[in-house]
Amino acid sequence: AQTVTQSQPEMSVQEAETVTLSCTYDTSESDYYLFWYKQPPSRQMILVIRQEAYKQQNATENRFSVNFQKAAKSFSLKISDSQLGDAAMYFCAYRSGVEYGNKLVFGAGTILRVKS
Amino acid sequence: DTAVSQTPKYLVTQMGNDKSIKCEQNLGHDTMYWYKQDSKKFLKIMFSYNNKELIINETVPNRFSPKSPDKAHLNLHINSLELGDSAVYFCASSRNRGQVTDTQYFGPGTRLTVL
C-alpha cells in the first residue's frame, strides 16, 4: 500500500520570504501522480500544484514550485514570496493510476503560519 | 455555478440516528468520491463511484452506504450514528482517463457532529 509522510506538523514563514514543505512517499509503482492541496480555515480543499511521476521537469505554478526527486521518493513544495493568504494546512497526496480507482492517499498535513 | 456542492454544510444529530449527506457535481465528471477528515485533520478515502458503479470501498463499516442515482450525484447515508462518526466528510469528483489532469475537485465539506 502507498503511504505519504509529511514530517513537519507546523512551519512558520515571514511574509515575502520563501518556505519549503517536505513530503516523502512510498510506492512500488512506476507511474503515479503527486499533488499538493491547500486547506485554509474555510476547510475548502484547493489544488495547489500537480506532478506526473514520469516527467523529470519540476512543476511550477506562479509562486509555487516543487522539487520532485523520484529516486528518493521526495516531493517538496516551495512557496516563494509568501503572502498572508498562504496561511493554511497543506496536504501532500499520492494518486495511483486509473486501474487502482484514482484514489488519493494523503499525508498528515503541515500547518503553515505566515507572519507579517 | 458551484462545481461540487454538498448539503448540508453542518449536521448535528444524536447517537443512533440515521442521516444522509448529498453531493452533486456539475463538471460532467465520471467519478465521484467520499473522503472522511477526522479530528486530527487526517483525510482518508471511503468510497469511489465511476459512472454509478462502486469501484473503491475502503473497509468502511456497513452502516455507511453510498448511493449514486446518476453520475452527477453521490449521496452518503449513515445508519445508527456513533460518536466516532463525528468528522468532516468531503465529496470530490474527477474525470477518469488515467491522466494527471484527472484532478479531484472537492466540495466544501459537511461537518457532522454526533452527540
Side-chain angles (χ1 to χ4, degrees):
Chain A
Q2 295 79 25
T3 57
V4 177
T5 302
Q6 293 177 249
S7 58
Q8 306 152 315
E10 278 192 42
M11 292 285 283
S12 289
V13 63
Q14 200 68 33
E15 207 176 356
E17 295 193 345
T18 296
V19 65
T20 298
L21 308 185
S22 301
C23 174
T24 58
Y25 58 94
D26 190 26
T27 184
S28 57
E29 298 169 353
S30 59
D31 191 18
Y32 50 87
Y33 309 97
L34 297 162
F35 303 83
W36 279 96
Y37 279 88
K38 167 185 176 181
Q39 187 178 40
S42 66
R43 79 167 183 247
Q44 180 72 50
M45 293 289 288
I46 303 164
L47 176 69
V48 175
I49 200 165
R50 57 195 174 197
Q51 174 83 41
E52 296 160 87
Y54 61 84
K55 281 195 174 176
Q56 302 273 10
Q57 188 173 4
N58 289 324
T60 300
E61 288 285 342
N62 301 313
R63 298 182 295 106
F64 298 88
S65 61
V66 298
N67 183 1
F68 174 48
Q69 303 287 330
K70 190 171 184 179
K73 295 180 183 172
S74 169
F75 182 61
S76 60
L77 174 69
K78 185 170 90 171
I79 306 174
S80 304
D81 185 25
S82 296
Q83 300 175 359
L84 294 177
D86 295 334
M89 184 90 148
Y90 285 80
F91 291 96
C92 179
Y94 171 104
R95 198 189 85 207
S96 299
V98 65
E99 63 272 27
Y100 296 104
N102 267 354
K103 71 176 183 182
L104 285 171
V105 177
F106 286 91
T110 297
I111 297 171
L112 178 65
R113 304 192 195 281
V114 181
K115 301 176 188 174
S116 58
Chain B
D1 60 346
T2 305
V4 183
S5 59
Q6 293 179 230
T7 52
K9 288 206 173 114
Y10 299 92
L11 183 53
V12 181
T13 188
Q14 299 287 333
M15 235 174 16
N17 284 350
D18 303 338
K19 289 292 179 187
S20 292
I21 306 171
K22 295 186 177 181
C23 178
E24 177 181 2
Q25 54 95 3
N26 62 6
L27 297 166
H29 288 165
D30 305 309
T31 308
M32 297 184 73
Y33 313 80
W34 278 109
Y35 289 86
K36 178 180 179 180
Q37 186 173 40
D38 63 23
S39 57
K40 294 183 180 176
K41 303 289 189 184
F42 188 67
L43 268 158
K44 193 172 190 305
I45 184 82
M46 298 173 69
F47 300 104
S48 170
Y49 269 73
N50 185 52
N51 277 322
K52 303 194 297 175
E53 181 184 346
L54 179 67
I55 54 173
I56 295 176
N57 183 342
E58 287 282 312
T59 59
V60 177
N62 56 16
R63 296 183 296 103
F64 290 79
S65 53
K67 286 184 172 52
S68 183
D70 55 61
K71 74 173 193 177
H73 295 84
L74 181 61
N75 304 322
L76 183 65
H77 189 76
I78 316 170
N79 288 328
S80 304
L81 278 155
E82 300 178 357
L83 294 176
D85 297 332
S86 295
V88 179
Y89 292 85
F90 285 97
C91 177
S93 74
S94 73
R95 290 185 299 179
N96 194 29
R97 302 176 190 175
Q99 299 167 354
V100 72
T101 47
D102 293 349
T103 300
Q104 291 183 25
Y105 293 90
F106 285 76
T110 296
R111 180 178 292 282
L112 171 65
T113 303
V114 182
L115 303 174

